[in-house]
Amino acid sequence: MSGESVLVIGAGVQGLTSGIVLAEAGVPVRIRTAERPRDTTSAVAGAMWGPAMLRPADRVLRWVTRSYAEFMALCRDSASGVHLAPGRMAARFDLGDVVPPEAQLLDDLRKCRPEELPEGFVSGYHATVPLIDMPKYLDHLVDRFRAAGGELVVSPVPTLGEAVAEARVVVNCTGVGARELVGDPAVHPVRGQHVVVANPGVEEYFIELTTASEFAGYMPHGDRVVLGGVAVEHDWNLVPSSTVSEGILRRCAEVEPKLGGAEVRDEIVGLRPGREQVRLEVEHFEGSRIVHDYGHAGCGVALSWGCAFEVADLVGT
């Protein structure tokens, strides 16, 4: 891989992970970001590794498979924020017997028995997957990046022209910000909101599989549980809605009654970068090379390591 310095724009999970892979390969890397990692959309994520129903399907399968291996390794480090948890993925319709190819990585994947499904749900699967406590995980990524010699600077990059003036190789991990930075109208916000509660004794996760804009889901991380959620297309509003939070609490309590009286610690909002397909490709711009890596919708964490390794391959070409 080239020893030429690389500028990464964005310090969410994509930017930090790409920075780590590059820095640990010996590449001088600087990350410039408009927001500190704990203030990015990534910090709002639930988050879990799981099947990613995105396009292009063949590349997504490769990215999510590579990421699974990395998260399984990170589970062995208690400081990473990654931990294994059992739980259910369920739907209010019949999921059938065909599962996504990456689900076959899960050794204990099995269909839920009828008595394991909450009221109103008709189909589901039980499996142990990596859960990621995002604030703790982002701190871990920052520490790992800096330990590899990387530099993290809170300094917005307003234009690609400014970026390529600083480095001949640029990695664009700006998420929904790519809409303005590179003028890509295909990327748009998908508003998410979570409610964080004190853990009343929940040890298993739950995620509703649906295309609806409202759903039930919760992920335990030690003494707190992240509850969701919503997915509202083309909504830029970053202010938490009490009405949305009430709906999230109600839906989650219907699945797990323990959550009904849980102490609310926080209400958080993030804008997922929606796009018809993930953009991971090289663009030649004013004599420089830009590797674009954005448009992961709600699967940025699940795809992060696989995408980062492909970013590094493209940087080295």
Side-chain angles (χ1 to χ4, degrees), residues 1-9 22 27 160 163-172 281-292 310-317:
M1 185 173 294
S2 169
E4 187 173 22
S5 64
V6 174
L7 173 65
V8 176
I9 312 174
L22 290 165
V27 177
L160 287 181
V164 299
E166 181 173 330
R168 291 186 63 251
V169 181
V170 175
V171 179
N172 170 25
E281 64 185 10
V282 174
E283 177 188 3
H284 296 280
F285 180 84
E286 295 185 2
S288 296
R289 190 164 71 253
I290 299 174
V291 180
H292 295 290
E310 185 157 327
V311 164
D313 288 343
L314 293 174
V315 165
T317 60

mmCIF file of all heavy atoms in Angstrom, residues 1-9 22 27 160 163-172 281-292 310-317:
data_model
loop_
_atom_site.group_PDB
_atom_site.id
_atom_site.type_symbol
_atom_site.label_atom_id
_atom_site.label_comp_id
_atom_site.label_asym_id
_atom_site.label_seq_id
_atom_site.Cartn_x
_atom_site.Cartn_y
_atom_site.Cartn_z
ATOM 1 N N MET A 1 0.837 -1.198 0.000
ATOM 2 C CA MET A 1 0.000 0.000 0.000
ATOM 3 C C MET A 1 0.873 1.249 0.000
ATOM 4 O O MET A 1 1.937 1.283 0.625
ATOM 5 C CB MET A 1 -0.922 -0.016 1.228
ATOM 6 C CG MET A 1 -1.926 1.120 1.269
ATOM 7 S SD MET A 1 -3.077 0.895 2.645
ATOM 8 C CE MET A 1 -3.931 -0.591 2.129
ATOM 9 N N SER A 2 0.399 2.277 -0.681
ATOM 10 C CA SER A 2 1.159 3.512 -0.813
ATOM 11 C C SER A 2 1.388 4.173 0.541
ATOM 12 O O SER A 2 0.535 4.141 1.422
ATOM 13 C CB SER A 2 0.398 4.483 -1.727
ATOM 14 O OG SER A 2 0.969 5.765 -1.681
ATOM 15 N N GLY A 3 2.555 4.794 0.705
ATOM 16 C CA GLY A 3 2.859 5.524 1.923
ATOM 17 C C GLY A 3 2.409 6.963 1.858
ATOM 18 O O GLY A 3 2.665 7.747 2.773
ATOM 19 N N GLU A 4 1.729 7.348 0.774
ATOM 20 C CA GLU A 4 1.230 8.706 0.609
ATOM 21 C C GLU A 4 0.156 8.996 1.644
ATOM 22 O O GLU A 4 -0.666 8.148 1.972
ATOM 23 C CB GLU A 4 0.661 8.863 -0.801
ATOM 24 C CG GLU A 4 0.267 10.280 -1.146
ATOM 25 C CD GLU A 4 -0.121 10.386 -2.619
ATOM 26 O OE1 GLU A 4 -0.487 9.357 -3.228
ATOM 27 O OE2 GLU A 4 -0.044 11.496 -3.152
ATOM 28 N N SER A 5 0.142 10.200 2.193
ATOM 29 C CA SER A 5 -0.821 10.530 3.236
ATOM 30 C C SER A 5 -2.240 10.566 2.678
ATOM 31 O O SER A 5 -2.470 10.888 1.511
ATOM 32 C CB SER A 5 -0.475 11.871 3.878
ATOM 33 O OG SER A 5 -0.581 12.906 2.936
ATOM 34 N N VAL A 6 -3.191 10.218 3.527
ATOM 35 C CA VAL A 6 -4.599 10.141 3.158
ATOM 36 C C VAL A 6 -5.407 11.024 4.095
ATOM 37 O O VAL A 6 -5.176 11.030 5.315
ATOM 38 C CB VAL A 6 -5.107 8.685 3.225
ATOM 39 C CG1 VAL A 6 -6.613 8.622 2.981
ATOM 40 C CG2 VAL A 6 -4.369 7.804 2.230
ATOM 41 N N LEU A 7 -6.360 11.756 3.536
ATOM 42 C CA LEU A 7 -7.309 12.535 4.326
ATOM 43 C C LEU A 7 -8.639 11.806 4.322
ATOM 44 O O LEU A 7 -9.202 11.534 3.258
ATOM 45 C CB LEU A 7 -7.482 13.937 3.747
ATOM 46 C CG LEU A 7 -8.588 14.787 4.391
ATOM 47 C CD1 LEU A 7 -8.260 15.104 5.849
ATOM 48 C CD2 LEU A 7 -8.833 16.072 3.594
ATOM 49 N N VAL A 8 -9.156 11.490 5.504
ATOM 50 C CA VAL A 8 -10.492 10.903 5.649
ATOM 51 C C VAL A 8 -11.418 11.997 6.152
ATOM 52 O O VAL A 8 -11.102 12.693 7.119
ATOM 53 C CB VAL A 8 -10.482 9.713 6.633
ATOM 54 C CG1 VAL A 8 -11.898 9.180 6.845
ATOM 55 C CG2 VAL A 8 -9.561 8.600 6.139
ATOM 56 N N ILE A 9 -12.553 12.157 5.506
ATOM 57 C CA ILE A 9 -13.538 13.148 5.941
ATOM 58 C C ILE A 9 -14.673 12.421 6.648
ATOM 59 O O ILE A 9 -15.342 11.571 6.065
ATOM 60 C CB ILE A 9 -14.110 13.947 4.752
ATOM 61 C CG1 ILE A 9 -13.001 14.465 3.839
ATOM 62 C CG2 ILE A 9 -14.948 15.116 5.264
ATOM 63 C CD1 ILE A 9 -13.518 15.134 2.573
ATOM 64 N N LEU A 22 -6.329 1.827 7.412
ATOM 65 C CA LEU A 22 -5.235 2.493 6.691
ATOM 66 C C LEU A 22 -4.042 2.727 7.603
ATOM 67 O O LEU A 22 -2.894 2.418 7.243
ATOM 68 C CB LEU A 22 -5.730 3.817 6.112
ATOM 69 C CG LEU A 22 -6.715 3.717 4.945
ATOM 70 C CD1 LEU A 22 -7.403 5.056 4.709
ATOM 71 C CD2 LEU A 22 -5.992 3.253 3.680
ATOM 72 N N VAL A 27 -0.133 3.621 6.613
ATOM 73 C CA VAL A 27 -0.422 4.821 5.830
ATOM 74 C C VAL A 27 -0.611 6.011 6.778
ATOM 75 O O VAL A 27 -1.360 5.907 7.750
ATOM 76 C CB VAL A 27 -1.702 4.626 4.993
ATOM 77 C CG1 VAL A 27 -2.045 5.898 4.227
ATOM 78 C CG2 VAL A 27 -1.542 3.448 4.043
ATOM 79 N N LEU A 160 -14.851 19.776 -1.666
ATOM 80 C CA LEU A 160 -13.873 18.797 -2.127
ATOM 81 C C LEU A 160 -12.586 19.487 -2.565
ATOM 82 O O LEU A 160 -11.500 18.919 -2.447
ATOM 83 C CB LEU A 160 -14.451 17.972 -3.275
ATOM 84 C CG LEU A 160 -15.520 16.947 -2.927
ATOM 85 C CD1 LEU A 160 -15.965 16.209 -4.185
ATOM 86 C CD2 LEU A 160 -15.016 15.957 -1.888
ATOM 87 N N ALA A 163 -10.398 19.729 0.282
ATOM 88 C CA ALA A 163 -9.896 18.402 0.656
ATOM 89 C C ALA A 163 -8.716 17.997 -0.215
ATOM 90 O O ALA A 163 -7.682 17.554 0.292
ATOM 91 C CB ALA A 163 -11.016 17.364 0.553
ATOM 92 N N VAL A 164 -8.858 18.150 -1.523
ATOM 93 C CA VAL A 164 -7.782 17.696 -2.416
ATOM 94 C C VAL A 164 -6.585 18.644 -2.384
ATOM 95 O O VAL A 164 -5.485 18.266 -2.795
ATOM 96 C CB VAL A 164 -8.292 17.507 -3.861
ATOM 97 C CG1 VAL A 164 -9.389 16.442 -3.900
ATOM 98 C CG2 VAL A 164 -8.784 18.811 -4.466
ATOM 99 N N ALA A 165 -6.796 19.867 -1.888
ATOM 100 C CA ALA A 165 -5.658 20.761 -1.697
ATOM 101 C C ALA A 165 -4.780 20.287 -0.541
ATOM 102 O O ALA A 165 -3.590 20.589 -0.482
ATOM 103 C CB ALA A 165 -6.143 22.190 -1.440
ATOM 104 N N GLU A 166 -5.380 19.515 0.366
ATOM 105 C CA GLU A 166 -4.657 19.005 1.536
ATOM 106 C C GLU A 166 -4.026 17.645 1.278
ATOM 107 O O GLU A 166 -2.956 17.338 1.812
ATOM 108 C CB GLU A 166 -5.616 18.913 2.729
ATOM 109 C CG GLU A 166 -4.971 18.416 4.004
ATOM 110 C CD GLU A 166 -5.913 18.509 5.197
ATOM 111 O OE1 GLU A 166 -6.778 19.417 5.220
ATOM 112 O OE2 GLU A 166 -5.779 17.674 6.108
ATOM 113 N N ALA A 167 -4.687 16.808 0.485
ATOM 114 C CA ALA A 167 -4.178 15.454 0.234
ATOM 115 C C ALA A 167 -4.594 15.000 -1.153
ATOM 116 O O ALA A 167 -5.700 15.302 -1.607
ATOM 117 C CB ALA A 167 -4.713 14.482 1.283
ATOM 118 N N ARG A 168 -3.710 14.261 -1.803
ATOM 119 C CA ARG A 168 -4.007 13.753 -3.148
ATOM 120 C C ARG A 168 -4.922 12.528 -3.101
ATOM 121 O O ARG A 168 -5.485 12.139 -4.121
ATOM 122 C CB ARG A 168 -2.709 13.422 -3.888
ATOM 123 C CG ARG A 168 -1.885 14.640 -4.248
ATOM 124 C CD ARG A 168 -0.682 14.290 -5.101
ATOM 125 N NE ARG A 168 -1.083 13.711 -6.394
ATOM 126 C CZ ARG A 168 -0.927 12.443 -6.735
ATOM 127 N NH1 ARG A 168 -0.407 11.582 -5.875
ATOM 128 N NH2 ARG A 168 -1.293 12.008 -7.932
ATOM 129 N N VAL A 169 -5.033 11.932 -1.908
ATOM 130 C CA VAL A 169 -5.956 10.810 -1.729
ATOM 131 C C VAL A 169 -6.911 11.171 -0.592
ATOM 132 O O VAL A 169 -6.480 11.453 0.523
ATOM 133 C CB VAL A 169 -5.218 9.503 -1.411
ATOM 134 C CG1 VAL A 169 -6.223 8.361 -1.266
ATOM 135 C CG2 VAL A 169 -4.199 9.173 -2.486
ATOM 136 N N VAL A 170 -8.201 11.166 -0.902
ATOM 137 C CA VAL A 170 -9.235 11.549 0.060
ATOM 138 C C VAL A 170 -10.247 10.421 0.174
ATOM 139 O O VAL A 170 -10.639 9.820 -0.832
ATOM 140 C CB VAL A 170 -9.948 12.846 -0.387
ATOM 141 C CG1 VAL A 170 -11.107 13.183 0.540
ATOM 142 C CG2 VAL A 170 -8.961 14.009 -0.461
ATOM 143 N N VAL A 171 -10.676 10.121 1.400
ATOM 144 C CA VAL A 171 -11.734 9.138 1.638
ATOM 145 C C VAL A 171 -12.943 9.888 2.188
ATOM 146 O O VAL A 171 -12.854 10.521 3.246
ATOM 147 C CB VAL A 171 -11.281 8.033 2.613
ATOM 148 C CG1 VAL A 171 -12.417 7.036 2.845
ATOM 149 C CG2 VAL A 171 -10.043 7.321 2.089
ATOM 150 N N ASN A 172 -14.041 9.825 1.467
ATOM 151 C CA ASN A 172 -15.248 10.569 1.815
ATOM 152 C C ASN A 172 -16.218 9.682 2.580
ATOM 153 O O ASN A 172 -16.915 8.854 2.002
ATOM 154 C CB ASN A 172 -15.901 11.109 0.539
ATOM 155 C CG ASN A 172 -17.280 11.695 0.797
ATOM 156 O OD1 ASN A 172 -17.586 12.130 1.896
ATOM 157 N ND2 ASN A 172 -18.112 11.697 -0.232
ATOM 158 N N GLU A 281 -16.637 3.677 -4.233
ATOM 159 C CA GLU A 281 -15.961 3.703 -5.523
ATOM 160 C C GLU A 281 -14.967 4.858 -5.562
ATOM 161 O O GLU A 281 -14.984 5.748 -4.709
ATOM 162 C CB GLU A 281 -16.979 3.872 -6.657
ATOM 163 C CG GLU A 281 -17.730 5.192 -6.608
ATOM 164 C CD GLU A 281 -18.824 5.306 -7.661
ATOM 165 O OE1 GLU A 281 -19.120 4.289 -8.300
ATOM 166 O OE2 GLU A 281 -19.367 6.416 -7.831
ATOM 167 N N VAL A 282 -14.105 4.836 -6.576
ATOM 168 C CA VAL A 282 -13.089 5.873 -6.758
ATOM 169 C C VAL A 282 -13.573 6.905 -7.773
ATOM 170 O O VAL A 282 -14.146 6.548 -8.810
ATOM 171 C CB VAL A 282 -11.756 5.255 -7.241
ATOM 172 C CG1 VAL A 282 -10.744 6.349 -7.565
ATOM 173 C CG2 VAL A 282 -11.200 4.306 -6.191
ATOM 174 N N GLU A 283 -13.361 8.173 -7.441
ATOM 175 C CA GLU A 283 -13.592 9.271 -8.378
ATOM 176 C C GLU A 283 -12.299 10.055 -8.526
ATOM 177 O O GLU A 283 -11.645 10.379 -7.528
ATOM 178 C CB GLU A 283 -14.694 10.197 -7.867
ATOM 179 C CG GLU A 283 -14.922 11.406 -8.775
ATOM 180 C CD GLU A 283 -15.880 12.433 -8.198
ATOM 181 O OE1 GLU A 283 -16.337 12.242 -7.052
ATOM 182 O OE2 GLU A 283 -16.160 13.438 -8.882
ATOM 183 N N HIS A 284 -11.925 10.364 -9.751
ATOM 184 C CA HIS A 284 -10.756 11.205 -9.999
ATOM 185 C C HIS A 284 -11.219 12.650 -10.092
ATOM 186 O O HIS A 284 -12.128 12.979 -10.863
ATOM 187 C CB HIS A 284 -10.040 10.753 -11.271
ATOM 188 C CG HIS A 284 -9.483 9.368 -11.163
ATOM 189 N ND1 HIS A 284 -8.300 9.097 -10.513
ATOM 190 C CD2 HIS A 284 -9.973 8.167 -11.580
ATOM 191 C CE1 HIS A 284 -8.074 7.788 -10.552
ATOM 192 N NE2 HIS A 284 -9.073 7.209 -11.181
ATOM 193 N N PHE A 285 -10.611 13.501 -9.266
ATOM 194 C CA PHE A 285 -11.083 14.871 -9.115
ATOM 195 C C PHE A 285 -9.900 15.822 -9.002
ATOM 196 O O PHE A 285 -9.099 15.732 -8.063
ATOM 197 C CB PHE A 285 -11.970 14.962 -7.860
ATOM 198 C CG PHE A 285 -12.532 16.331 -7.580
ATOM 199 C CD1 PHE A 285 -13.686 16.762 -8.213
ATOM 200 C CD2 PHE A 285 -11.920 17.173 -6.664
ATOM 201 C CE1 PHE A 285 -14.218 18.010 -7.938
ATOM 202 C CE2 PHE A 285 -12.432 18.426 -6.391
ATOM 203 C CZ PHE A 285 -13.593 18.851 -7.033
ATOM 204 N N GLU A 286 -9.754 16.700 -9.974
ATOM 205 C CA GLU A 286 -8.705 17.724 -9.971
ATOM 206 C C GLU A 286 -7.321 17.128 -9.694
ATOM 207 O O GLU A 286 -6.548 17.650 -8.881
ATOM 208 C CB GLU A 286 -9.037 18.825 -8.949
ATOM 209 C CG GLU A 286 -10.296 19.611 -9.295
ATOM 210 C CD GLU A 286 -10.553 20.773 -8.345
ATOM 211 O OE1 GLU A 286 -9.724 20.998 -7.436
ATOM 212 O OE2 GLU A 286 -11.582 21.439 -8.515
ATOM 213 N N GLY A 287 -7.039 16.017 -10.348
ATOM 214 C CA GLY A 287 -5.727 15.401 -10.210
ATOM 215 C C GLY A 287 -5.559 14.551 -8.961
ATOM 216 O O GLY A 287 -4.486 13.976 -8.734
ATOM 217 N N SER A 288 -6.587 14.469 -8.154
ATOM 218 C CA SER A 288 -6.536 13.654 -6.933
ATOM 219 C C SER A 288 -7.523 12.493 -7.050
ATOM 220 O O SER A 288 -8.342 12.436 -7.965
ATOM 221 C CB SER A 288 -6.886 14.506 -5.707
ATOM 222 O OG SER A 288 -5.917 15.521 -5.504
ATOM 223 N N ARG A 289 -7.408 11.569 -6.109
ATOM 224 C CA ARG A 289 -8.289 10.402 -6.100
ATOM 225 C C ARG A 289 -9.155 10.449 -4.848
ATOM 226 O O ARG A 289 -8.641 10.578 -3.732
ATOM 227 C CB ARG A 289 -7.457 9.115 -6.126
ATOM 228 C CG ARG A 289 -8.293 7.867 -6.359
ATOM 229 C CD ARG A 289 -7.453 6.671 -6.771
ATOM 230 N NE ARG A 289 -6.640 6.159 -5.688
ATOM 231 C CZ ARG A 289 -5.324 6.305 -5.610
ATOM 232 N NH1 ARG A 289 -4.681 6.962 -6.537
ATOM 233 N NH2 ARG A 289 -4.643 5.800 -4.599
ATOM 234 N N ILE A 290 -10.456 10.375 -5.040
ATOM 235 C CA ILE A 290 -11.393 10.372 -3.917
ATOM 236 C C ILE A 290 -12.065 9.007 -3.852
ATOM 237 O O ILE A 290 -12.622 8.532 -4.852
ATOM 238 C CB ILE A 290 -12.459 11.468 -4.071
ATOM 239 C CG1 ILE A 290 -11.797 12.857 -4.114
ATOM 240 C CG2 ILE A 290 -13.473 11.397 -2.928
ATOM 241 C CD1 ILE A 290 -12.752 13.980 -4.414
ATOM 242 N N VAL A 291 -11.995 8.375 -2.696
ATOM 243 C CA VAL A 291 -12.713 7.123 -2.461
ATOM 244 C C VAL A 291 -13.984 7.474 -1.692
ATOM 245 O O VAL A 291 -13.928 7.920 -0.548
ATOM 246 C CB VAL A 291 -11.863 6.121 -1.664
ATOM 247 C CG1 VAL A 291 -12.661 4.828 -1.433
ATOM 248 C CG2 VAL A 291 -10.551 5.817 -2.373
ATOM 249 N N HIS A 292 -15.112 7.322 -2.352
ATOM 250 C CA HIS A 292 -16.397 7.605 -1.711
ATOM 251 C C HIS A 292 -16.885 6.362 -0.967
ATOM 252 O O HIS A 292 -16.855 5.255 -1.501
ATOM 253 C CB HIS A 292 -17.432 8.009 -2.762
ATOM 254 C CG HIS A 292 -17.116 9.295 -3.454
ATOM 255 N ND1 HIS A 292 -17.196 10.518 -2.825
ATOM 256 C CD2 HIS A 292 -16.720 9.547 -4.732
ATOM 257 C CE1 HIS A 292 -16.871 11.473 -3.682
ATOM 258 N NE2 HIS A 292 -16.573 10.916 -4.843
ATOM 259 N N GLU A 310 -12.177 -2.581 1.955
ATOM 260 C CA GLU A 310 -12.252 -2.277 0.523
ATOM 261 C C GLU A 310 -11.772 -0.850 0.253
ATOM 262 O O GLU A 310 -11.131 -0.602 -0.769
ATOM 263 C CB GLU A 310 -13.675 -2.463 0.000
ATOM 264 C CG GLU A 310 -13.745 -2.262 -1.502
ATOM 265 C CD GLU A 310 -14.925 -2.936 -2.171
ATOM 266 O OE1 GLU A 310 -15.351 -4.013 -1.712
ATOM 267 O OE2 GLU A 310 -15.409 -2.391 -3.174
ATOM 268 N N VAL A 311 -12.068 0.076 1.160
ATOM 269 C CA VAL A 311 -11.523 1.432 1.035
ATOM 270 C C VAL A 311 -10.005 1.380 0.967
ATOM 271 O O VAL A 311 -9.369 2.011 0.106
ATOM 272 C CB VAL A 311 -11.973 2.307 2.228
ATOM 273 C CG1 VAL A 311 -11.099 3.571 2.316
ATOM 274 C CG2 VAL A 311 -13.429 2.694 2.089
ATOM 275 N N ALA A 312 -9.407 0.610 1.864
ATOM 276 C CA ALA A 312 -7.940 0.493 1.871
ATOM 277 C C ALA A 312 -7.418 -0.097 0.564
ATOM 278 O O ALA A 312 -6.390 0.360 0.048
ATOM 279 C CB ALA A 312 -7.495 -0.362 3.055
ATOM 280 N N ASP A 313 -8.123 -1.077 0.022
ATOM 281 C CA ASP A 313 -7.716 -1.646 -1.280
ATOM 282 C C ASP A 313 -7.762 -0.580 -2.376
ATOM 283 O O ASP A 313 -6.863 -0.496 -3.221
ATOM 284 C CB ASP A 313 -8.638 -2.803 -1.651
ATOM 285 C CG ASP A 313 -8.395 -4.046 -0.789
ATOM 286 O OD1 ASP A 313 -7.325 -4.128 -0.142
ATOM 287 O OD2 ASP A 313 -9.278 -4.926 -0.772
ATOM 288 N N LEU A 314 -8.817 0.238 -2.347
ATOM 289 C CA LEU A 314 -8.957 1.281 -3.372
ATOM 290 C C LEU A 314 -7.930 2.399 -3.195
ATOM 291 O O LEU A 314 -7.431 2.946 -4.175
ATOM 292 C CB LEU A 314 -10.380 1.857 -3.336
ATOM 293 C CG LEU A 314 -11.486 0.886 -3.749
ATOM 294 C CD1 LEU A 314 -12.866 1.534 -3.525
ATOM 295 C CD2 LEU A 314 -11.332 0.450 -5.187
ATOM 296 N N VAL A 315 -7.605 2.715 -1.957
ATOM 297 C CA VAL A 315 -6.569 3.713 -1.692
ATOM 298 C C VAL A 315 -5.217 3.229 -2.228
ATOM 299 O O VAL A 315 -4.425 4.005 -2.759
ATOM 300 C CB VAL A 315 -6.469 4.015 -0.185
ATOM 301 C CG1 VAL A 315 -5.161 4.762 0.142
ATOM 302 C CG2 VAL A 315 -7.667 4.835 0.259
ATOM 303 N N GLY A 316 -5.002 1.911 -2.127
ATOM 304 C CA GLY A 316 -3.717 1.359 -2.549
ATOM 305 C C GLY A 316 -3.582 1.144 -4.030
ATOM 306 O O GLY A 316 -2.523 0.754 -4.512
ATOM 307 N N THR A 317 -4.673 1.392 -4.791
ATOM 308 C CA THR A 317 -4.612 1.161 -6.241
ATOM 309 C C THR A 317 -4.037 2.368 -6.966
ATOM 310 O O THR A 317 -4.043 3.467 -6.441
ATOM 311 C CB THR A 317 -6.016 0.850 -6.790
ATOM 312 O OG1 THR A 317 -6.882 1.961 -6.532
ATOM 313 C CG2 THR A 317 -6.565 -0.404 -6.161
#
